[in-house]
Amino acid sequence: AARLSSAVLFGPHMENFLDIAAGLKASGGAREIHDAAEMAEAVRALLSKPAEARAMSERAEAFAVAQAGVTARLLKRLAPLVEGPLRHAA
């Protein structure tokens, strides 16, 4: 959603995405929601304040763009560690 320039609302169970959730919240691009009433209020607020919703969306997208390529950079750094043992195994 962040890569599509959307404000992000998510629940409390982000165990597999702790860093991303924390980063999105810190950037101001996301808000953690704890129950249905809070979700309704958050959506209402976003719909009633388009300028704030747009700003939140832009912050979410900026965070997502900054994170783009993390996997490729990690693989590039790991390649020398993996390539050596693979050559010796062949």
Side-chain angles (χ1 to χ4, degrees):
R3 294 286 306 252
L4 298 173
S5 191
S6 295
V8 177
L9 303 173
F10 58 82
H13 301 291
M14 297 293 288
E15 292 83 4
N16 292 332
F17 308 99
L18 292 175
D19 291 341
I20 293 170
L24 274 168
K25 283 173 43 177
S27 75
R31 181 172 163 198
E32 184 173 351
I33 304 299
H34 299 93
D35 58 36
E38 190 176 356
M39 176 63 83
E41 179 53 38
V43 170
R44 188 177 306 113
L46 288 171
L47 293 174
S48 67
K49 300 174 184 172
E52 289 181 30
R54 187 169 30 271
M56 187 175 174
S57 299
E58 289 169 357
R59 290 189 297 266
E61 183 179 23
F63 174 81
V65 167
Q67 297 300 307
V70 168
T71 302
R73 289 192 302 270
L74 178 61
L75 290 174
K76 185 175 181 178
R77 292 185 71 182
L78 291 175
L81 301 173
V82 175
E83 290 171 355
L86 288 177
R87 280 191 207 131
H88 297 303

